[in-house]
Amino acid sequence: MKTSAVVLTLLFSVPAFADSGSNQSTNQVWITDVIIVSPESLDHIGKGSVLIENGRIARVERSKKAKKPAGATIISGNGQYLIPGLIDSHVHLASVPGMSFDQSEGKQKIVQKYFQQLPRSYLYFGYTTLVDLAVIRPQVLEDFRQAPLHPDLYDCGGSLSFANGYPMSFAPPAVRFKPFPNFIYDAKQADRIPPEYKPEDHTPTADVARVKDSGGICVKTYFERGFAADKNLPVMGPDVLAEIRKAATQDGLVLMIHANGFEAQRFAVEGNVDVIAHGMWHWGALDKKTELPVEIKQLLDQIAEKKIGYQPTIQVLYGEAAYFDPEYLKMDAIAKVTPKEMLEWFQSAEGKWFGKELNEDGAPDATMLKDYEQNWLRRVRQVVAYLASKNANFVFGTDTPSSPTYGNLPGLNGYLEMKQLQKAGMSLAQIFRAATINNAREFKMESQLGTIEPGKIANLVLMKKSPLESVDAYDSITTVWVHGKAVPRDVLAVNSNR
């Protein structure tokens, strides 16, 4: 995996809790003849009606004989399934899929169209709430919030990278500190840190305070020794993570950590983090084991017992493998979320640049796909299956885009992630809860989001199929409500008449 290209795109490419009043409806809307599927009451699924008033859910009636309020606008669901709006708690809105920094700078018209479509692409697949984990370009998030239609957007503020560690290490030393003003100072590396940065300004406590002051709801940090040519990156010790943990708790923030390997996730568990961002596709010395090792099972047992939030992010790997799959760009859904000009560029020789970086040796596509399947994907699936059997606290996140790949497209990436989660062993009910109530609870949004209950924001999704019967239901959406405003799915697609 080409982290240098990934991070440079994150740092320099062109991107929020939405204004809750911007999309509110002032009229009463009575959504009737729907099958209500809400994660807190999956044992009470049946036909009913929902009243929306001033952008919030005012009533939920599970009786076929419920009386509609006088004067309310009636919307018949025609027997379709009504669910809470979906939540993706791991996105990077500032990154441009498939493009390096230089490419995005030279293709501003394409990039502009991509960002204009971005909020609609998430809504197209039912994502009405997002969490951006690393704010690099605040203006991009602000522009997202100002779009006429957009999901609610929360963020983790500036992420806490350990000095000269992942992911800041892959930017040139002369410029790597500017995009990461919330880095953690390491006295052992004082000679490698520009003198304008003072140790007292970059303690874990000071960094967490900046996140809190910026309006962040979570703290994102990293444990990553690196890969490919860079496998000895500096990482924090338990004492530093303990300070971050203490400060995050005092400020009421959710603590998330990038950890995609056995060592990293063990470090995360010992440090009592709230959410592990990524599945375990690196097992270290145990990589060649074909069965799930006892040591890893013991760690996964702790993750399940402690109810640590777990984001498998399997599409991170498939996002890279997409370059070796001749069918990927032929999916009809891609044209729904990707501007025509960008899609045409993806299909050009120049647009396939990242695939060449991933496959420097020029191996056949089939060989590359087999390598992904037999190694990283096999390992992460085994881990997910084990956690699913323990009913672990899965929280849904996609890491979109995880790298400068066209294999991680907004909205669509969530749908594809759900397919991979089911393939890995999660039940449809587990997937549904992960993308609704589990995310809402983990990120302290449960009073506003995650279920269909009175008083909550009217972020809702109407679909032709039940999400408890088929994962394909998430591509059968007909209408999305954003703060009580109904939006037909068709108008959210690229080049629709808006």
Side-chain angles (χ1 to χ4, degrees), residues 141-338:
L141 273 67
E142 184 59 29
D143 291 345
F144 186 96
R145 293 185 175 106
Q146 296 303 319
L149 281 172
H150 60 280
D152 291 344
L153 179 57
Y154 298 78
D155 65 69
C156 295
S159 63
L160 278 62
S161 173
F162 196 65
N164 291 302
Y166 180 91
M168 66 188 299
S169 58
F170 297 101
V175 299
R176 69 173 50 147
F177 285 87
K178 286 187 177 180
F180 286 91
N182 231 19
F183 77 93
I184 299 169
Y185 200 97
D186 178 22
K188 296 178 182 178
Q189 301 184 65
D191 60 336
R192 298 176 57 202
I193 300 174
E196 62 263 34
Y197 297 103
K198 306 303 179 186
E200 61 271 22
D201 295 333
H202 292 276
T203 65
T205 300
D207 289 340
V208 171
R210 271 190 291 272
V211 172
K212 179 71 171 181
D213 291 344
S214 74
I217 65 166
C218 43
V219 174
K220 169 73 178 301
T221 192
Y222 310 84
F223 188 96
E224 175 65 74
R225 293 193 186 277
F227 31 84
D230 298 288
K231 295 183 179 179
N232 295 293
L233 301 178
V235 295
M236 68 178 71
D239 55 335
V240 175
L241 183 57
E243 289 184 55
I244 299 173
R245 172 71 280 176
K246 180 179 178 181
T249 300
Q250 290 177 340
D251 284 341
L253 303 178
V254 178
L255 176 56
M256 307 181 69
I257 190 167
H258 163 104
N260 57 33
F262 177 39
E263 179 196 15
Q265 294 194 5
R266 182 173 56 197
F267 179 80
V269 171
E270 292 171 351
N272 293 311
V273 304
D274 297 311
V275 178
I276 293 174
H278 294 306
M280 191 192 297
W281 48 75
H282 296 296
W283 293 359
L286 303 171
D287 267 354
K288 299 301 181 182
K289 297 286 186 180
T290 56
E291 300 297 326
L292 196 63
V294 172
E295 302 96 317
I296 292 180
K297 286 182 180 179
Q298 292 172 343
L299 178 63
L300 299 179
D301 286 340
Q302 293 181 61
I303 290 172
E305 290 166 5
K306 290 186 174 185
K307 294 295 182 184
I308 295 172
Y310 200 87
Q311 295 180 336
T313 61
I314 301 176
Q315 267 301 119
V316 167
L317 300 172
Y318 273 100
E320 295 181 354
Y323 285 91
F324 316 113
D325 179 0
E327 301 301 314
Y328 175 77
L329 288 177
K330 297 178 183 178
M331 282 193 294
D332 291 340
I334 288 182
K336 302 293 186 181
V337 299
T338 310

Side-chain angles (χ1 to χ4, degrees), residues 312-467:
T313 61
I314 301 176
Q315 267 301 119
V316 167
L317 300 172
Y318 273 100
E320 295 181 354
Y323 285 91
F324 316 113
D325 179 0
E327 301 301 314
Y328 175 77
L329 288 177
K330 297 178 183 178
M331 282 193 294
D332 291 340
I334 288 182
K336 302 293 186 181
V337 299
T338 310
K340 179 181 177 181
E341 297 85 351
M342 176 173 266
L343 181 53
E344 290 175 347
W345 186 78
F346 288 163
Q347 295 167 329
S348 71
E350 183 186 12
K352 297 184 184 299
W353 71 278
F354 189 54
K356 295 176 182 177
E357 290 208 1
L358 292 169
N359 183 16
E360 291 179 335
D361 296 331
D365 287 351
T367 300
M368 292 298 294
L369 285 173
K370 184 178 180 180
D371 184 46
Y372 273 90
E373 287 287 344
Q374 292 185 346
N375 292 296
W376 300 303
L377 286 163
R378 171 186 59 81
R379 291 191 286 266
V380 74
R381 286 195 194 112
Q382 288 175 281
V383 167
V384 170
Y386 187 84
L387 286 173
S389 73
K390 300 293 182 177
N391 200 27
N393 180 28
F394 290 104
V395 292
F396 187 84
T398 60
D399 193 12
T400 302
S402 59
S403 62
T405 170
Y406 59 48
N408 290 159
L409 296 171
L412 172 61
N413 215 37
Y415 174 56
L416 297 177
E417 174 75 11
M418 288 180 170
K419 283 181 168 288
Q420 296 307 327
L421 294 176
Q422 184 186 30
K423 186 176 180 179
M426 284 178 64
S427 71
L428 290 170
Q430 287 176 319
I431 294 169
F432 181 58
R433 290 192 181 100
T436 54
I437 195 169
N438 288 7
N439 258 337
R441 286 173 175 167
E442 193 66 52
F443 290 89
K444 305 177 184 180
M445 309 173 189
E446 69 269 30
S447 67
Q448 304 294 317
L449 303 166
T451 62
I452 302 177
E453 295 181 280
K456 297 200 173 182
I457 295 170
N459 288 351
L460 303 165
V461 177
L462 188 66
M463 48 180 55
K464 295 177 182 178
K465 302 177 182 179
S466 169

